[in-house]
Amino acid sequence: MQLKRSSSLKSVLPSRGAVRALLYGACGALVALAPSVAHAQVAQVDGSYTIYHEAPTRTNMTVLTPATDITVRPTQWLTVKAGYEADVVSGASIAVKAGAAYAANNPGADVVTAASVNDVRHAPRGGFTLKKGDVTFLANYSYSTENDYKSNAFNIGARTEIFEHNTQLEISYARNFDRVCDRVQGANDNATKFRALEDSTGCFTEDPLRTTRSVGVDGYQGSWSQAWSPVFVTQLVYTGQLQNGFLSNAYRSVIVGQGQRAQEHHPEDRARHALALRGNVFVRPLRLAVRFGLRAYADSWGVKSGTGDVEIEKIFGENLRLTGSGRFYKQTGALFFSDDYTGGDVPLGPKGQYFTGDRELSSFFSVLTGLRLGYGVTAQEKKYLGFIQGLRVGLSASVQFFRYEDFTLGGEGIGAARAWLFGLSGGATF
């Protein structure tokens, strides 16, 4: 009955939220294509490899993400999980953001520059689930490290099934303890004179030019899943998140005066809320599953967004599934977002004490479309090779188009604003 979908890349990525959402969405969906696991099976191994690439105006980014997970069920009441994921990042990101007004008044000024990005994030994880009757408790922990960012994260949750297992209620809490590398700033400087981090050299060492800033994240979630009939299931999910600490991009500068560059400056607190409704309808005569979702989001920075998505999955025989998906997303800009902070009236000019070069804090919309193909087999009488109960493999390809209405780079709009994602997954049950 569960409809829940799996839910940040490196801080220098120009679209880390979109990248991570796209990656997890593809991986989770590919695994979901496999046949259900029988109660007698006690071990499961899953692996995936995804390739994300985008190359909009003046930037490009490629992210390779291999991942593997092992699940062991030694008893009916205990499940133990362990896994590992890596992000291999390469490309270029915007190092200095200048707006249209500054470019118009300073023709020929080369202030929009791209910074080289090469990094690897390692993220081992593990967790367990305890089940007693209709009640399940879970706990997970993950640790990730890269050149300029370290994270410790855990989450705990509980769910119960009632009304003859037709209703499922779940609550969970998550906490991140993160550390971000930054440049040491002048003791008497204010935000408009802060300098951006040049590179990750010396991070998390005794280097006198480097310091560490903290980021704390508290996440809360509650969900209600309901089976209205054997072929119709819905889920309502509320998610809340409180962020505190250094929420800016340490590498990115913004032109805030006549040629004056300053490290972007974001508020240190951000409250985020989202409400999502999902549904799954199975059309038996056609052997077709239709999934839909609607999501509304708002935060304390003034960003509001809406998302709509749909999936249509066709089942061929007992083993093959083909899924087409589409998603539309639209958001408003942050209260303090401006395309140019060098002066003038709104929408140009300063909007309070904060300034940003992050295109994800501007107003924009995106459209995604994709295909997934999954194939899985389950041994009926005799296990494959004597010990394999089931095998599965999946392929996916997606393309996402973006349109930024207010964000420019030196007065030039972002062209070729699209991203591609390709995925391969496989697994075995023992």
Side-chain angles (χ1 to χ4, degrees):
M1 181 175 68
Q2 192 82 343
L3 294 179
K4 186 178 298 179
R5 298 174 184 171
S6 299
S7 332
S8 63
L9 275 182
K10 181 177 173 58
S11 59
V12 297
L13 286 178
S15 55
R16 64 178 181 180
V19 173
R20 184 48 55 91
L22 206 55
L23 289 173
Y24 274 111
C27 295
L30 285 172
V31 173
L33 290 170
S36 299
V37 179
H39 290 297
Q41 299 161 354
V42 296
Q44 181 174 316
V45 178
D46 292 290
S48 65
Y49 192 89
T50 59
I51 303 173
Y52 174 91
H53 179 73
E54 64 172 41
T57 300
R58 305 199 187 189
T59 63
N60 65 84
M61 194 66 62
T62 300
V63 184
L64 308 179
T65 306
T68 185
D69 287 282
I70 301 174
T71 302
V72 179
R73 300 176 180 85
T75 69
Q76 291 292 331
W77 54 269
L78 175 63
T79 301
V80 181
K81 300 179 179 181
Y84 169 80
E85 179 182 273
D87 288 322
V88 183
V89 184
S90 62
S93 180
I94 294 299
V96 183
K97 165 68 171 73
Y102 182 83
N105 295 325
N106 297 270
D110 183 18
V111 294
V112 182
T113 57
S116 176
V117 178
N118 290 281
D119 202 358
V120 179
R121 182 183 70 96
H122 301 278
R125 57 195 177 218
F128 64 89
T129 299
L130 299 175
K131 182 176 175 63
K132 181 174 177 59
D134 295 332
V135 179
T136 302
F137 301 94
L138 59 91
N140 299 283
Y141 170 79
S142 65
Y143 171 76
S144 68
T145 179
E146 50 194 300
N147 291 339
D148 52 18
Y149 203 102
K150 297 183 182 296
S151 174
N152 289 274
F154 74 88
N155 76 286
I156 55 175
R159 64 174 174 263
T160 184
E161 296 179 357
I162 57 178
F163 303 131
E164 298 182 347
H165 304 283
N166 290 322
T167 301
Q168 185 181 90
L169 303 175
E170 181 172 354
I171 57 173
S172 61
Y173 169 75
R175 172 69 185 182
N176 278 48
F177 299 90
D178 299 352
R179 294 184 296 149
V180 186
C181 178
D182 191 19
R183 190 186 190 282
V184 172
Q185 309 295 344
N188 299 318
D189 288 346
N190 57 31
T192 60
K193 295 184 179 180
F194 286 174
R195 297 172 59 185
L197 183 67
E198 301 90 344
D199 52 52
S200 61
T201 303
C203 287
F204 304 116
T205 70
E206 300 299 322
D207 191 324
L209 296 180
R210 297 291 180 261
T211 188
T212 301
R213 306 194 186 279
S214 62
V215 178
V217 182
D218 294 276
Y220 312 86
Q221 181 169 289
S223 68
W224 165 39
S225 302
Q226 183 66 45
W228 301 98
S229 75
V231 297
F232 180 47
V233 182
T234 62
Q235 184 182 62
L236 185 65
V237 182
Y238 165 78
T239 305
Q241 188 183 82
L242 300 175
Q243 296 177 302
N244 174 263
F246 186 74
L247 305 181
S248 306
N249 185 325
Y251 293 92
R252 189 160 46 218
S253 295
V254 179
I255 301 296
V256 295
Q258 295 303 309
Q260 179 179 338
R261 304 180 181 188
Q263 182 187 67
E264 73 172 12
H265 183 50
H266 292 174
E268 293 189 350
D269 296 286
R270 189 179 190 182
R272 315 173 80 175
H273 306 274
L275 186 65
L277 174 64
R278 298 166 184 151
N280 191 337
V281 180
F282 184 66
V283 184
R284 281 178 174 170
L286 301 177
R287 304 200 70 188
L288 197 73
V290 179
R291 306 183 186 95
F292 63 87
L294 297 171
R295 181 177 181 269
Y297 167 90
D299 65 32
S300 58
W301 290 7
V303 177
K304 297 179 176 62
S305 70
T307 307
D309 61 85
V310 63
E311 286 187 350
I312 300 177
E313 180 181 79
K314 173 63 178 175
I315 302 174
F316 298 93
E318 296 296 328
N319 304 320
L320 184 65
R321 302 186 182 190
L322 177 65
T323 304
S325 61
R327 186 177 69 204
F328 176 83
Y329 174 87
K330 183 174 178 59
Q331 79 167 42
T332 64
L335 293 171
F336 56 88
F337 174 81
S338 174
D339 183 56
D340 199 310
Y341 292 93
T342 60
D345 298 326
V346 175
L348 301 178
K351 296 184 177 181
Q353 69 188 95
Y354 304 110
F355 42 91
T356 182
D358 189 352
R359 70 189 188 190
E360 291 190 28
L361 293 179
S362 70
S363 60
F364 74 94
F365 72 86
S366 68
V367 177
L368 176 145
T369 183
L371 286 174
R372 298 194 303 270
L373 183 66
Y375 181 81
V377 293
T378 301
Q380 299 300 320
E381 297 180 358
K382 185 178 180 180
K383 293 185 177 181
Y384 304 116
L385 301 179
F387 65 97
I388 299 176
Q389 181 66 38
L391 294 168
R392 55 200 168 273
V393 64
L395 295 169
S396 71
S398 301
V399 59
Q400 189 167 14
F401 301 90
F402 304 87
R403 180 178 176 182
Y404 297 90
E405 300 172 344
D406 304 318
F407 186 93
T408 69
L409 298 175
E412 181 181 349
I414 299 180
R418 61 182 64 94
W420 295 266
L421 177 68
F422 304 95
L424 170 66
S425 74
T429 306
F430 307 93

